[in-house]
Amino acid sequence: MRTIIVAAILLAAIAPASAQSVAPPGAAACSGCHALGVGSASIPPLSGQTPESIVTAMQAFRMGQRQATVMDRIAKGFSDEETRAIADWVGQKR
Amino acid sequence: MLGGSATAFSRSLFGQALPHLIVIGGGFGGATCARELKRHGLNVTLVEPNLIYTACPFSNAVIAGLRPIEAQQFRLDVVKQGGVVVAQQWAVRVEPGARRVFLVDGSSLQYDRLVLAPGIDLRFDALPGYDEAASAMLPHAWKAGEQTELLRRQLEAMEDGGTVIIAAPSNPFRCPPGPYERASLIAHYLKTHKPRSKLIILDAKDTFSKQRLFQAAWQELYPNLIEWVSLSSGGKVNEVNAKTRTLTTDFGHHTGDVVNVIPPQRAGQITHVAGAADRSGWCPIDPVTFESRLQPNIHVIGDSSIAGGMPKSAFSANAQAKVCAAAIVSLLRGQPPSAPKLINTCYSLVAPDYGISVAGVYRPANGVLTDVEGAGGTSPPNAPPSFRSLEATYAQAWFETITTEVFG
Ligand SMILES: Cc1cc2nc3c(=O)[nH]c(=O)nc-3n(C[C@H](O)[C@H](O)[C@H](O)COP(=O)(O)OP(=O)(O)OC[C@H]3O[C@@H](n4cnc5c(N)ncnc54)[C@H](O)[C@@H]3O)c2cc1C
């Protein structure tokens, strides 16, 4: 047990940034299409957007109030809470 | 089990400074996972014999002459520059008890945790007459590279009025919509260059991915050019004669001028050697950590894994790799990994400016990755051409974004 704790401390010490960079459920898959850095592709990048605007867009996609090719189908898979957490995490990366 | 992981930690503490992670396979799953683990400051070795990776997504466009093979190729240089040690070799053996990986040059590496991401093996023992030698005449082109170019050359050499045959396997296999995207893009080539030709799909299934959308598009774009023969109409190929380019089904013989056989598949060979594959030929995993159900401290991601509702796609492999890396970091810290949510989206091109997609959102339920109800599904039927064209653009954008994330 002690070795586990020591190793945990060692890891925490070596990679201090990683605690905050742990993605909430679902967030890691957004970057499959949305470049997290500066995007050159035609899918709008999420970096540069506020958490608020991401939440609003996701809700509109989910309710079918905003035109989409694919985001309507994706947004329906996430609850308000999950969407909020993803938006905050993506917002942190701005 | 508990004793096992405690030893891992003490060895890493006193033997090496940090836990050592090994990833086998530098494709969409493995390269992503190695980079993610490295981002957390861990010691990571990636075992991959090819320093240039040739990607399968969009390789059907290469076959149709719409894209050079070079557009499919990505170097592992940036992965290396990020601090991942690349062992440019085949892994030939894993000893789970000793936690060692043996490489083809005879050397071996110790791991605390191992990630297997070797993709698929083509089964050259499953379809009588179709072995590796036969694939030099009747290409599978289901691993991109030389095979992709061979199929391209054969199509170019074929005379107008020829017959192309694609033999599609039963489930599960890499890229469920892939054979039908291939049929579509080859049909596009034939329509524009060899309009008297014909394409037959001999299928070992009665239904397939995005079927309604594909079939509606075929009727619209390629009427009388594509014939799909389902399992119940005698589509299953039982035997191959490579010399005469003849495929035999229960109902008869089909001879083509260009014959593309997509054979049955299984998890990459190394997963079998490691004891991580079950009798189905694929690897059962825990849906939260992607840890093998059969071998502790070994994780399996990408095509080799049994990922429940998630199809075997590059998108899935990349998404799974990120979840797996995060879970490994939690496990090394002694923290419980949190339940993930994953997304998959497979785009297919039916024509250069006609894209369709299928999406899904997944979560662990009852021990398997399960579709979140109410989410996902295919592109709408009856969408206007502008919608199809936009999805073709987004397909291309997805490929650029994901390959940049994995290799760039
Ligand atoms: C024609 C076609 C079209 C496709 N289109 C799409 C698409 O549009 N979208 C999509 O999402 N997916 C698509 N796919 C599927 C996609 O290519 C695969 O699902 C994806 O490559 C799986 O990733 P992976 O990391 O599991 O395996 P791979 O990408 O195959 O990577 C495995 C790597 O492991 C290495 N390796 C294997 N064994 C060993 C060993 N013993 N030692 C060391 N290294 C080893 C190999 O050299 C290889 O580099 C398509 C596939 C095909 C065939």
Side-chain angles (χ1 to χ4, degrees), chain A residues 64-82:
Chain A
Q65 290 160 350
R66 192 173 155 175
Q67 271 217 330
T69 54
V70 72
M71 278 312 296
D72 49 347
R73 291 177 267 156
I74 290 173
K76 283 178 188 143
F78 296 91
S79 68
D80 280 335
E81 267 183 5
E82 288 170 330

Side-chain angles (χ1 to χ4, degrees), chain A residues 3-4 6-8 10-12 14-15 18-19 21-22 25-26 28-35 40-43 68-70 73-74 76-79 82 93, chain B residues 6 9-10 13 17-18 40-42 315 322 332-333 339 341 343 347 357-359 361 372 374-379 387 390-391 393-394 397-398 400-402 405:
Chain A
T3 47
I4 293 181
V6 176
L10 182 70
L11 261 172
I14 301 281
S18 53
S21 62
V22 168
C30 308
S31 61
C33 291
H34 295 278
S40 62
S42 54
I43 298 177
T69 54
V70 72
R73 291 177 267 156
I74 290 173
K76 283 178 188 143
F78 296 91
S79 68
E82 288 170 330
K93 301 216 140 201
Chain B
F9 276 105
S10 44
L13 266 183
L18 277 173
H40 286 279
L42 295 162
F315 195 113
K322 290 183 259 188
L332 289 172
R333 287 212 168 113
K341 223 158 182 183
I343 302 174
Y347 284 106
S357 64
V358 58
V361 183
V372 172
T378 63
S379 314
F387 192 104
L390 200 51
E391 284 216 278
T393 311
Y394 289 150
W398 162 76
E400 278 169 34
T401 302
I402 198 164
E405 187 184 57

Side-chain angles (χ1 to χ4, degrees), chain B residues 77-155:
Chain B
D77 295 357
V78 179
V79 176
K80 272 191 190 171
Q81 282 155 21
V84 172
V85 176
V86 176
Q88 195 192 341
Q89 293 191 52
W90 291 101
V92 291
R93 193 155 56 87
V94 176
E95 278 184 15
R99 286 203 301 272
R100 287 199 91 81
V101 171
F102 293 80
L103 307 182
V104 73
D105 72 352
S107 65
S108 71
L109 298 164
Q110 184 83 31
Y111 63 83
D112 293 288
R113 283 186 179 270
L114 170 65
V115 179
L116 299 177
I120 53 158
D121 257 13
L122 298 164
R123 292 192 50 195
F124 287 121
D125 60 344
L127 187 53
Y130 197 72
D131 55 13
E132 197 150 10
S135 76
M137 289 175 273
L138 315 184
H140 52 78
W142 220 240
K143 290 188 178 189
E146 188 39 49
Q147 280 273 314
T148 312
E149 296 186 281
L150 177 60
L151 184 51
R152 171 70 202 145
R153 285 196 303 272
Q154 292 186 350
L155 285 169

